[in-house]
Amino acid sequence: MPSRPLRAVLLAASLLTAACSQASSEAQVGDPAKPAAATPQAGVSEVLKTDMVLGKADAPVTLVEYASVTCPACAAFNTQIIPEVKTKYIDTGKVKLVYREFPTSPANYSIIGSVLARCAAEKSGSEAYFLITDALFRNQQTWVTKEARAELIKIISQAGMDEAALDACVARKELVEIINSNATAASDKYKVTGTPTFFLNGEKMTFRTKEDFDKLIADAVAKAGA
């Protein structure tokens, strides 16, 4: 369990917790012979002031990801698929990734990890958010299953944060409220039930393989004339 200072964040707001998919295809894929019709979700691709965005603001294609730093499927996606998407589409200015938190069990760790990533962004810019989120995913089995505090201090040091910064950060109720707001909107407005869930230009993505995922993005980029 988190040490006492980390537990302070749990008192800041009620938490909305969802299930983490065991694999992205289980939560998002229909019968391949009868692909599910994509229905645009009004507003889901609108970039909010509280959103964390990777890529150019004027990129013609918007990829929205709802994920949790404690979700194993999200961690696998972050390691195996997102780096290629970043190289091919994000770094080239064709796609921007809008990342929104959708806490999954264990909720205490999920909230704390995301709060720390947001503090890193305030200190060093949005790239620091993704730096810390990536570290949380890659070291998930260490900081979630072992002593959280010591491991989290190591992770946030990559963004120039120390132990005092950690304690100050986890006490910030407004950051918990932002994360809860993301989760509530996802659940109530866009019917998100698990992680990771992706929307491409407002349409929920349905795919089975890495190749399927890439093709959907490539088609959106071509359609946008990027």
Side-chain angles (χ1 to χ4, degrees):
M1 293 299 290
S3 61
R4 185 172 182 179
L6 289 182
R7 291 176 63 87
V9 74
L10 306 182
L11 305 177
S14 59
L15 305 179
L16 174 63
T17 308
C20 171
S21 307
Q22 292 302 307
S24 59
S25 60
E26 293 178 6
Q28 302 178 57
V29 179
D31 184 344
K34 298 178 181 179
T39 303
Q41 298 288 319
V44 70
S45 290
E46 179 183 353
V47 179
L48 308 175
K49 291 182 179 179
T50 55
D51 281 335
M52 292 294 143
V53 182
L54 185 65
K56 296 181 178 178
D58 60 353
V61 175
T62 302
L63 176 65
V64 176
E65 177 182 8
Y66 285 97
S68 166
V69 292
T70 56
C71 168
C74 298
F77 217 97
N78 175 77
T79 302
Q80 300 169 16
I81 297 179
I82 292 300
E84 185 173 331
V85 171
K86 183 176 184 298
T87 299
K88 291 177 65 175
Y89 302 110
I90 297 174
D91 292 346
T92 56
K94 299 172 183 178
V95 175
K96 59 179 174 288
L97 172 66
V98 179
Y99 182 98
R100 294 177 185 150
E101 303 95 346
F102 196 70
T104 59
S105 181
N108 50 353
Y109 290 95
S110 183
I111 292 289
I112 288 168
S114 291
V115 164
L116 290 173
R118 284 187 171 271
C119 286
E122 289 183 353
K123 176 178 175 60
S124 304
S126 61
E127 289 188 2
Y129 178 91
F130 290 97
L131 172 69
I132 297 304
T133 299
D134 178 69
L136 290 168
F137 279 135
R138 292 181 183 275
N139 297 281
Q140 191 180 81
Q141 291 303 308
T142 301
W143 71 270
V144 172
T145 60
K146 298 181 180 180
E147 172 55 43
R149 184 180 181 85
E151 295 302 321
L152 289 174
I153 290 172
K154 292 179 184 178
I155 289 173
I156 64 174
S157 68
Q158 298 177 51
M161 297 170 64
D162 57 15
E163 186 172 3
L166 181 148
D167 289 336
C169 180
V170 298
R172 294 183 56 188
K173 298 179 181 180
E174 76 276 14
L175 296 182
V176 178
E177 291 170 357
I178 289 172
I179 293 167
N180 273 336
S181 179
N182 279 342
T184 299
S187 178
D188 294 349
K189 293 183 180 180
Y190 312 126
K191 310 307 176 186
V192 175
T193 58
T195 54
T197 294
F198 294 88
F199 291 85
L200 186 62
N201 282 347
E203 297 182 357
K204 189 174 182 180
M205 296 179 72
T206 300
F207 57 92
R208 282 193 179 278
T209 66
K210 177 180 178 179
E211 291 72 25
D212 292 340
F213 190 81
D214 183 86
K215 186 177 186 305
L216 288 170
I217 297 177
D219 289 347
V221 168
K223 186 177 181 180

